[in-house]
Amino acid sequence: MHISNGIIDGPVAAIFAAFALAALAFCVLRGRADLDDRLAPMAGLVAAFIFAVQMLNFPIFTAGVSGHLLGGALAALLVGPWVGALCVAVVLVVQALVFGDGGVAMLGLNITNMAILGTAAAYLLIALLLRVLPRTPAGLAVTAFVSSLVSVVVASQGFVFQYWLGGTTDLGGNLGGLAGTMAFAHLLIGIGEGLITATTVVTVAKVRPDLVYALRALKPAAPVPAVPVAGGVR
């Protein structure tokens, strides 16, 4: 889903570049509180794994945009939303500068969609699901799969919104068709990412559950205490 140069006009790209910088600066401030001797090396491993996974690209349509596994949910589960967004952003910067995967001028757009929107949507679902599902391998797998699937589709719709603001090709009012195409294609991609994320996170949790950030940081919902009934049956 890397956006190439020329797909979105310059002013919109500049706005999202500023937004991405501000969001990443906020992630740095919040992520510093989470970094410790356990999380710092884990962040490096997660970034390297996401880099390898993102090399698998799926063509979407002929306008220079492609879709691929994002890794936002995986990063959010293992290292948290703040550090996770930074991991994905670092991968995107390296891919744009070294491999030309996505335009450098469009980097703010790509970081917004894949590092910020994708990771945020994933973590919101993770926080919800881990409070209601059992903390078992099955429950964790469902959480990883659903959050991955939804995060990929949300990120794809971020591109649709950006194209609506500043797309350089007139779609003839068929923005809904673009949204549907992106959603359907990334729904399929999300299924693959969900399977990879679920397998990876469950494997890590079975060996070292303390390395799964979401299991450490998110506590299950507390049971509602029973209220004693005053009096009795006469």
Side-chain angles (χ1 to χ4, degrees), residues 7 42 61 68 90 113 134 155 161 164 176 229:
I7 299 296
M42 192 65 179
F61 57 96
H68 60 71
V90 168
N113 294 337
F161 175 70
W164 174 69
V229 179

Side-chain angles (χ1 to χ4, degrees), residues 89-169:
V90 168
V91 171
L92 294 175
V93 170
V94 172
Q95 288 184 337
L97 296 179
V98 178
F99 297 97
D101 200 356
V104 175
M106 303 291 110
L107 198 51
L109 299 162
N110 290 323
I111 288 176
T112 297
N113 294 337
M114 292 181 275
I116 298 171
L117 286 181
T119 305
Y123 196 73
L124 288 174
L125 268 175
I126 291 166
L128 173 64
L129 293 174
L130 283 182
R131 291 181 184 277
V132 297
L133 293 177
R135 300 289 182 104
T136 61
L140 185 59
V142 170
T143 298
F145 181 85
V146 173
S147 61
S148 297
L149 178 63
V150 173
S151 69
V152 170
V153 176
V154 168
S156 74
Q157 297 310 296
F159 165 73
V160 175
F161 175 70
Q162 293 163 352
Y163 201 90
W164 174 69
L165 291 177
T168 56
T169 302

Side-chain angles (χ1 to χ4, degrees), residues 34-129:
D34 292 334
L35 280 178
D36 53 23
D37 294 339
R38 174 173 48 190
L39 191 61
M42 192 65 179
L45 292 174
V46 168
F49 182 78
I50 292 174
F51 180 83
V53 170
Q54 285 199 357
M55 299 305 288
L56 302 174
N57 286 288
F58 300 84
I60 301 302
F61 57 96
T62 58
V65 178
S66 62
H68 60 71
L69 307 179
L70 306 187
L74 176 68
L77 279 160
L78 294 180
V79 296
W82 316 115
V83 178
L86 293 173
C87 288
V88 178
V90 168
V91 171
L92 294 175
V93 170
V94 172
Q95 288 184 337
L97 296 179
V98 178
F99 297 97
D101 200 356
V104 175
M106 303 291 110
L107 198 51
L109 299 162
N110 290 323
I111 288 176
T112 297
N113 294 337
M114 292 181 275
I116 298 171
L117 286 181
T119 305
Y123 196 73
L124 288 174
L125 268 175
I126 291 166
L128 173 64
L129 293 174

Side-chain angles (χ1 to χ4, degrees), residues 58 69 149 152-153 182-194:
F58 300 84
L69 307 179
L149 178 63
V152 170
V153 176
M182 293 291 288
F184 177 73
H186 285 82
L187 180 66
L188 300 179
I189 295 170
I191 293 173
E193 176 161 353

Side-chain angles (χ1 to χ4, degrees), residues 206-221:
K206 286 182 177 179
V207 179
R208 290 286 302 275
D210 59 302
L211 294 181
V212 180
Y213 176 95
L215 294 180
R216 301 195 312 269
L218 298 172
K219 305 300 182 184

